[in-house]
Amino acid sequence: MESLFLIGMMGCGKTTLGRQLARTRGWDFLDFDAEIEQRTGVSVRHIFDVEGEAGFRDRETALLREFVGREHAVFATGGGIVLRPENRELLRTGGRVVYLHVTPRELALRLKQDTRRPLLQVADREAVIESLYQLRDPLYRETAHLVVALGGRSARHSVELIERGLSACQPS
Ligand code: S3P
């Protein structure tokens, strides 16, 4: 299980921290949304517009199936990856899974200016973040081997916390 999957809400820092974790470990870094955009040549927003959320989720699951089993890689997943039971199972068997926990309040602040995420292009963004959090927080916890609470920490400190947590919960 020599790979890491970072899971958590939009805006929790999966991409930024994943890149740093990969760099310090000398591992590959892969970002699900970026990979899907690169392969399709269009934005995630465009895929949601044309294929709907279901079409995007199919692409996400296909990519996960492809990535599972890959060694020495850090993956930044999309925030909705835990919605499908199949994905949760694939994640847990595919590597160490780390939930980056950030409160909905802080997420709302971080995502205030976002124009990239289709689910947030709504009038009441805070309410959407809150309801997605209520639905997904239990799924992230159910899927993760390790939960790291990140509120207000610097990226460097967050990476240290994650590494410390991982070495304290080695796979049996
Ligand atoms: C989504 C999160 C996004 C992206 C898509 C849907 C979600 O990824 O996959 O907009 O359902 O939470 P990030 O978590 O990297 O923003």
Side-chain angles (χ1 to χ4, degrees):
M1 298 234 289
E2 283 276 62
S3 64
L4 274 185
F5 289 94
L6 302 183
I7 63 172
M9 290 282 290
M10 297 176 258
C12 73
K14 291 164 293 191
T15 303
T16 307
L17 300 179
R19 201 171 271 129
Q20 293 201 20
L21 282 161
R23 195 180 307 129
T24 56
R25 287 175 168 233
W27 287 10
D28 295 331
F29 172 71
L30 288 138
D31 180 283
F32 271 68
D33 287 353
E35 192 70 22
I36 290 171
E37 290 187 336
Q38 198 186 322
R39 290 181 186 199
T40 56
V42 294
S43 67
V44 168
R45 265 185 89 168
H46 187 74
I47 298 173
F48 267 69
D49 282 347
V50 175
E51 299 180 348
E53 183 171 346
F56 175 77
R57 298 291 171 212
D58 288 343
R59 292 180 182 278
E60 191 172 54
T61 299
L63 201 57
L64 179 57
R65 284 206 202 101
E66 182 186 321
F67 283 159
V68 159
R70 191 157 162 168
E71 298 280 311
H72 297 136
V74 179
F75 298 101
T77 62
I81 202 159
V82 294
L83 292 172
R84 290 188 175 178
E86 176 192 358
N87 292 358
R88 301 202 289 276
E89 179 71 24
L90 282 165
L91 287 164
R92 277 192 71 83
T93 53
R96 306 299 289 163
V97 184
V98 183
Y99 172 25
L100 307 182
H101 178 269
V102 173
T103 61
R105 203 164 165 201
E106 186 168 343
L107 291 171
L109 285 174
R110 293 189 191 187
L111 294 166
K112 222 174 180 146
Q113 309 292 334
D114 182 82
T115 54
R116 202 169 55 81
R117 294 166 170 100
L119 298 177
L120 300 183
Q121 309 316 307
V122 292
D124 194 348
R125 186 170 287 192
E126 282 186 31
V128 168
I129 292 172
E130 180 65 37
S131 73
L132 289 176
Y133 176 85
Q134 292 304 332
L135 174 77
R136 294 174 179 184
D137 180 67
L139 301 178
Y140 294 133
R141 288 179 191 277
E142 171 195 319
T143 311
H145 297 103
L146 173 70
V147 180
V148 184
L150 292 181
R153 298 175 204 282
S154 68
R156 210 176 107 205
H157 190 192
S158 300
V159 166
E160 276 170 24
L161 266 185
I162 296 166
E163 287 294 9
R164 217 178 302 148
L166 283 168
S167 47
C169 81
Q170 288 301 321
S172 49

